[in-house]
């Protein structure tokens, strides 16, 4: 039996296995070329934080591309929304709620998400109801929102941001610590195992073929080992001594005289990404809206004839994309601790590349949330690894561009080979 047939018999997605294999190969090569500096808890912690904002937007880009649209404005919109949230928490909200109060950053985040929904929905309305191609509308948005971000503060950088808000970017105090990381890791294992076997029960109940039970056990074991291994790796990265003392002082806890052993744990941006990925997966697989998205992408004319309001659906998809862009803006600006005019520059290309590398077909109808997240991780791994090796920035762009083209070519050949 060939490897492809064996994977099919076990119900394993060959393309997903290939992406994970490519990711591990990239990690091993960079670890070799950097003398063991790439696969360290510190670097992988930073890699997970750097991936989060692009991965959050990539989950929304899946829906956009699945319905045969494109959104070139997300990078500029991220910068504009980040500027709005930064300006609110620096110049306006402290005068209303008081400096240092939780309401400042909470209201700023909610305002940013609301603006993202409205601006994204407005672009979707132009595309869906005025029939202007998404490429043109979002290309215009790329220019408009970048200019609007400059206009908000006349080109000035907004800093410093609220201290609690900055924790959402994974900086000092922006992680869960060892205990909560293990709690969330164990809960994630329980949820993943339950989902695997509940899916098996549903398929058997409806008469669909199921994987051999040993294969299900093996899959559950691999997933569980991956989750717990990730938690252990994040807990192996220790908080620097100075930062640990500041954290204890901020909590009002006693600061010991000797060394402080404090684990970073899972970064808050990664938690946000996981929540977004789970919610988007549920939307894609378990809701009417998700079914409409994939039905429209598969055959827009048939979807419209079957009663789906494809115009309103387009508005909803771009509004969702706007909300996710706002969440990504929170992560990106909080990580930097400031909002500059270059925030989000070229992120639109990274997001599209992540979705496409993750298996989202530009022809529409096919795409997965987990694939987009892995695609974003592959993109960030390439960039981070090349920076550590010392590859010049122009050559980094060349490599990423070549990888994107090769990924699309492999996807085309894969779908042609298996008739997808």
């Amino acid at each position: 039996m060939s490897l492809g047939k064996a994977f099919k018999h076990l119900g394993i997605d060959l393309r997903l296995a290939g992406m994970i294999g490519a990711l591990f190969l990239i990690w091993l090569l960079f670890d070799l070329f950097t003398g063991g500096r790439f696969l360290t808890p510190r670097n992988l912690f930073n890699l997970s934080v750097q991936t989060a904002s692009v991965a959050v937007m990539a989950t929304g880009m899946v829906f956009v591309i699945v319905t045969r649209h494109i959104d070139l404005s997300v990078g500029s919109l991220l910068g504009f929304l980040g500027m709005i949230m930064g300006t609110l928490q620096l110049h306006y909200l402290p005068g209303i709620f008081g400096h240092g109060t939780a309401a400042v950053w909470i209201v700023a985040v909610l305002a940013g998400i609301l603006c993202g929904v409205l601006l994204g929905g407005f672009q979707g309305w132009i595309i869906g109801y005025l029939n202007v191609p998404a490429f043109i509308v979002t290309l215009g948005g790329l220019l408009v929102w970048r200019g609007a971000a400059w206009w908000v503060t006349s080109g000035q950088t907004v800093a410093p941001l609220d201290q609690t808000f900055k924790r959402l970017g994974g900086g000092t105090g922006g992680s869960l610590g060892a205990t909560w990381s293990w709690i969330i890791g164990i809960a994630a294992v329980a949820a993943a195992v339950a989902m695997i076997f509940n899916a098996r029960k549903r398929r058997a109940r409806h008469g669909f073929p199921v994987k051999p039970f040993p294969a299900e056990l093996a899959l559950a074991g691999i997933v569980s080992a991956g989750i717990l291994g990730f938690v252990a790796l994040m807990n192996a990265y220790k908080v620097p001594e100075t930062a640990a003392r500041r954290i204890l002082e901020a909590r009002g806890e006693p600061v010991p005289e000797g060394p402080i052993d404090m684990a970073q744990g899972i970064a808050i941006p990664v938690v946000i990404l996981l929540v977004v990925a789970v919610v988007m997966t549920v939307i894609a697989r378990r809701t009417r809206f998700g079914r409409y998205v994939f039905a429209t992408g598969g055959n827009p004319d048939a979807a419209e004839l079957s009663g789906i309001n494809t115009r309103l659906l387009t508005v909803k998809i771009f509004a969702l994309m706007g909300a996710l862009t706002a969440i990504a803006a929170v992560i990106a600006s909080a990580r930097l601790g400031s909002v500059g005019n270059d925030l989000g520059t070229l992120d639109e290309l990274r997001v599209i590349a992540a979705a496409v590398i993750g298996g989202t077909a530009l022809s529409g109808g096919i795409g997965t949330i987990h694939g987009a997240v892995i695609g974003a991780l592959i993109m960030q791994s390439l960039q981070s690894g090349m920076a550590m090796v010392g590859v010049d920035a122009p050559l980094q762009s060349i490599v990423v561009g070549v990888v994107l083209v090769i990924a699309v070519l492999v996807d085309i050949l894969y779908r042609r080979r298996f008739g997808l």
Side-chain angles (χ1 to χ4, degrees):
M1 183 182 292
S2 67
L3 182 62
K5 290 182 178 178
F7 272 46
K8 186 176 181 180
H9 176 70
L10 295 175
I12 298 175
D13 186 341
L14 185 59
R15 197 184 192 289
L16 176 62
M19 282 193 296
I20 295 175
L23 177 62
F24 285 143
L25 179 61
I26 290 170
W27 285 1
L28 290 173
L29 287 175
F30 280 132
D31 193 57
L32 178 65
F33 286 124
T34 57
R37 290 185 294 116
F38 190 86
L39 289 177
T40 60
R42 177 181 179 179
N43 187 61
L44 293 178
F45 177 90
N46 292 331
L47 181 64
S48 68
V49 172
Q50 293 164 357
T51 302
S53 63
V54 169
V56 166
M57 290 189 288
T59 64
M61 190 62 72
V62 170
F63 281 15
V64 173
I65 297 178
V66 160
T67 51
R68 306 188 183 189
H69 294 302
I70 201 73
D71 192 342
L72 300 175
S73 69
V74 291
S76 297
L77 184 58
L78 181 146
F80 178 55
L81 295 174
M83 193 67 76
I84 288 176
M85 288 185 282
T87 302
L88 283 174
Q89 62 186 284
L90 186 65
H91 297 299
Y92 295 100
L93 295 178
I96 299 173
F97 299 107
H99 289 276
T101 59
V104 171
W105 70 268
I106 292 174
V107 172
V109 169
L110 293 177
I113 294 175
L114 177 61
C115 288
V117 170
L118 294 176
L119 296 177
F122 177 65
Q123 291 187 147
W125 178 79
I126 296 175
I127 296 165
Y129 284 91
L130 301 184
N131 295 319
V132 181
F135 181 89
I136 299 300
V137 173
T138 58
L139 178 61
L142 182 150
L143 302 173
V144 169
W145 307 132
R146 182 61 62 188
W150 188 94
W151 177 74
V152 170
T153 60
S154 300
Q156 297 179 355
T157 298
V158 177
L161 301 180
D162 181 85
Q163 291 299 318
T164 305
F165 177 84
K166 289 196 289 187
R167 294 178 61 188
L168 301 177
T172 302
S175 55
L176 300 182
T179 303
W180 277 107
S181 294
W182 281 120
I183 291 173
I184 289 182
I186 293 170
V189 167
V193 172
M195 287 175 62
I196 290 172
F197 287 102
N198 283 338
R200 176 185 176 85
K201 289 180 180 178
R202 285 197 306 272
R203 293 182 67 85
R205 187 167 58 248
H206 292 91
F208 292 109
V210 296
K211 302 175 188 176
F213 192 74
E216 297 280 17
L217 286 176
L219 177 61
I222 292 171
V223 171
S224 300
I227 294 172
L228 297 179
F230 173 72
V231 174
L233 196 62
M234 294 300 98
N235 284 338
Y237 177 35
K238 303 302 181 182
V239 178
E241 190 79 18
T242 304
R245 293 183 181 279
R246 288 202 304 266
I247 292 172
L248 291 177
E249 290 172 357
R251 294 175 180 172
E253 298 179 12
V255 181
E257 295 293 336
I260 302 175
D261 184 16
M262 181 182 292
Q264 289 276 9
I266 302 173
I268 291 177
V270 177
V271 177
I272 296 173
L273 169 60
L274 293 176
V275 172
V276 168
V278 169
V279 171
M280 290 294 289
T281 300
V282 171
I283 291 174
R285 295 183 176 181
R286 301 291 180 84
T287 67
R288 180 182 299 177
F289 172 72
R291 291 193 292 271
Y292 284 179
V293 166
F294 284 88
T296 300
N299 192 326
D301 294 333
E304 192 164 1
L305 290 172
S306 66
I308 298 175
N309 188 340
T310 56
R311 294 185 175 188
L312 180 59
L313 185 69
T314 300
V315 176
K316 292 179 180 179
I317 290 169
F318 278 88
L320 178 60
M321 185 73 246
L324 293 171
T325 302
I327 294 172
V330 170
I331 296 172
S333 58
R335 182 168 67 89
L336 297 174
S338 63
V339 185
N341 289 289
D342 60 344
L343 183 68
T345 301
L346 294 181
D347 271 5
E348 57 277 348
L349 303 183
R350 298 185 183 98
V351 171
I352 294 170
V356 172
I357 289 174
T360 304
L362 292 171
S363 57
I366 298 173
T368 61
I369 303 301
H370 60 265
V373 174
I374 295 174
L377 187 55
I378 290 174
M379 289 285 295
Q380 190 58 51
S381 297
L382 284 172
Q383 291 182 317
S384 298
M386 287 188 290
M388 291 180 68
V389 172
V391 177
D392 293 335
L395 184 56
Q396 290 183 32
S397 299
I398 292 172
V399 172
V400 171
V402 170
V403 168
L404 175 60
V405 174
I406 292 175
V408 174
L409 177 60
V410 170
D411 183 64
I412 292 172
L413 296 176
Y414 173 78
R415 298 187 193 285
R416 187 181 300 167
R417 170 69 176 80
F418 292 97
L420 300 177

